Amino acid sequence: MCQLHQKTIEMIVKEGLDGFGINKLAKAAGVSPATIYIYYKDREDLIIQTTLRVSNVMLEESLKDFDPDMGFEEGLRKQWHNRAQYFLNHPLDVEFIEKMRYSHLYDKVAVHLYTSFKEVMGRFYNGAVSRKELIPLPFEVYWAVAFAPLYQLIKFHTQEKAFGHKKFTLTEDFMEQALQLVLKALKP
Amino acid sequence: MCQLHQKTIEMIVKEGLDGFGINKLAKAAGVSPATIYIYYKDREDLIIQTTLRVSNVMLEESLKDFDPDMGFEEGLRKQWHNRAQYFLNHPLDVEFIEKMRYSHLYDKVAVHLYTSFKEVMGRFYNGAVSRKELIPLPFEVYWAVAFAPLYQLIKFHTQEKAFGHKKFTLTEDFMEQALQLVLKALKP
DNA sequence: AAGATAAGTGAGCGTCCGCTTATTTATGAA
DNA sequence: TTCATAAATAAGCGGACGCTCACTTATCTT
């Protein structure tokens, strides 16, 4: 039942993993506690399956219209765009994933993720290096410089509390500005 | 009692906010549950105070030997160094802070943090711009490019699961390499 | 229409949790 | 030594929690 999926996300975001309970969820979704156990083995299974579902959508979205054999600048821009789109359009799901990423249950989720994603990303990276569009770097260094700034900007955007005096809003301009800096750093 | 502080961190890292309970903590610390309530108002107060204590140490460490009027490259390198030192020397505390950062209790912690830190960082940023050592940028864009890659590298280092085929270890070399890329991006 | 299966439920079980209370033990000033 | 205060405790209350069970209702097959 899809109601359960959505309510689970909402409640965990709002109240945290502690404070999230089966009885509360059942009441919020308008079903009997017993109904939940038709679809999920137990509380942990419910949380893990929900996390998996959301994460998979996110990964799919971030690869939309992306081809690992694209040129480096074009490919990187596409990925920044896709990620930003998803993050800005699904703030609740993103907050949910982040909460889960730092929970002790995440290990049990991570096993089932990223396999094809990693492959595609590796291929894109290798292609760019071999075409001399990207400085040869340890993959992790490349990744950190190429994507971490984007995630940080999105975090600033999402955050209630501003770091500086006023609330930060992520515009196309700011994104392009940051992307240019990253390209400047990574291009030979 | 300092035993409580440490055990709280250990248990929350290991079992998460759910699964962390007063009775368990008391048993692990070898005291009576009632003793905990001599020092802390309730469960939430215990968690918040513990988080505050750890966070404050982290912020202090990251400003060690740092002067906001330093030259840009020297100052940025010092900050990268301080953060890396702290993160690599206190992996448990870092994991604890990250868990807490994404919990629903973090709002109640954040209020008491960052005030002087933000001021120092702002001063450093303004000085560097006015000396033309740093491209003028929105503060958030600067921050994202300047520090997010470091945090990402540390995350790779800390992570059990490797992104690629083999476990990533953050060396001085990798850090310097990444720092050079960031400087290349940010310098006029 | 009859029977079989799936989907869903309300009530509540046993357990564990946060927290309190009545009491004991350690500390220290006179 | 006396006695007030602080520090710590063991035992356990009330309530919420995860989960189950006996049962009803909806759906499908022939």
Side-chain angles (χ1 to χ4, degrees), chain A residues 117-175:
Chain A
F117 184 74
K118 278 194 281 196
E119 205 175 299
V120 173
M121 289 300 111
R123 185 179 170 87
F124 176 64
Y125 163 81
N126 287 326
V129 170
S130 69
R131 285 190 307 272
K132 305 226 194 303
E133 298 171 337
L134 166 62
I135 305 175
L137 292 167
F139 185 77
E140 284 84 357
V141 173
Y142 151 71
W143 186 274
V145 175
F147 293 110
L150 170 65
Y151 290 127
Q152 182 61 60
L153 285 178
I154 291 165
K155 216 177 281 177
F156 280 138
H157 176 95
T158 313
Q159 251 168 223
E160 299 291 311
K161 290 282 174 356
F163 202 135
H165 25 296
K166 55 182 171 231
K167 174 90 179 67
F168 175 73
T169 304
L170 182 52
T171 61
E172 285 287 335
D173 278 356
F174 287 156
M175 258 191 53

Side-chain angles (χ1 to χ4, degrees), chain B residues 147-162:
Chain B
F147 293 110
L150 170 65
Y151 290 126
Q152 182 61 61
L153 285 178
I154 290 165
K155 215 176 283 178
F156 279 137
H157 176 95
T158 313
Q159 250 167 223
E160 300 291 311
K161 290 281 173 0

Side-chain angles (χ1 to χ4, degrees), chain A residues 79-141:
Chain A
Q79 290 224 44
W80 273 51
H81 177 79
N82 282 353
R83 282 177 172 70
Q85 281 299 106
Y86 179 80
F87 278 53
L88 300 181
N89 290 336
H90 303 82
L92 199 77
D93 289 355
V94 171
E95 215 179 321
F96 174 73
I97 291 179
E98 299 237 291
K99 271 202 157 65
M100 292 310 304
R101 250 195 95 77
Y102 291 93
S103 93
H104 60 123
L105 289 175
Y106 194 71
D107 287 344
K108 307 189 182 184
V109 175
V111 186
H112 306 282
L113 283 175
Y114 299 123
T115 39
S116 86
F117 184 74
K118 278 194 281 196
E119 205 175 299
V120 173
M121 289 300 111
R123 185 179 170 87
F124 176 64
Y125 163 81
N126 287 326
V129 170
S130 69
R131 285 190 307 272
K132 305 226 194 303
E133 298 171 337
L134 166 62
I135 305 175
L137 292 167
F139 185 77
E140 284 84 357
V141 173

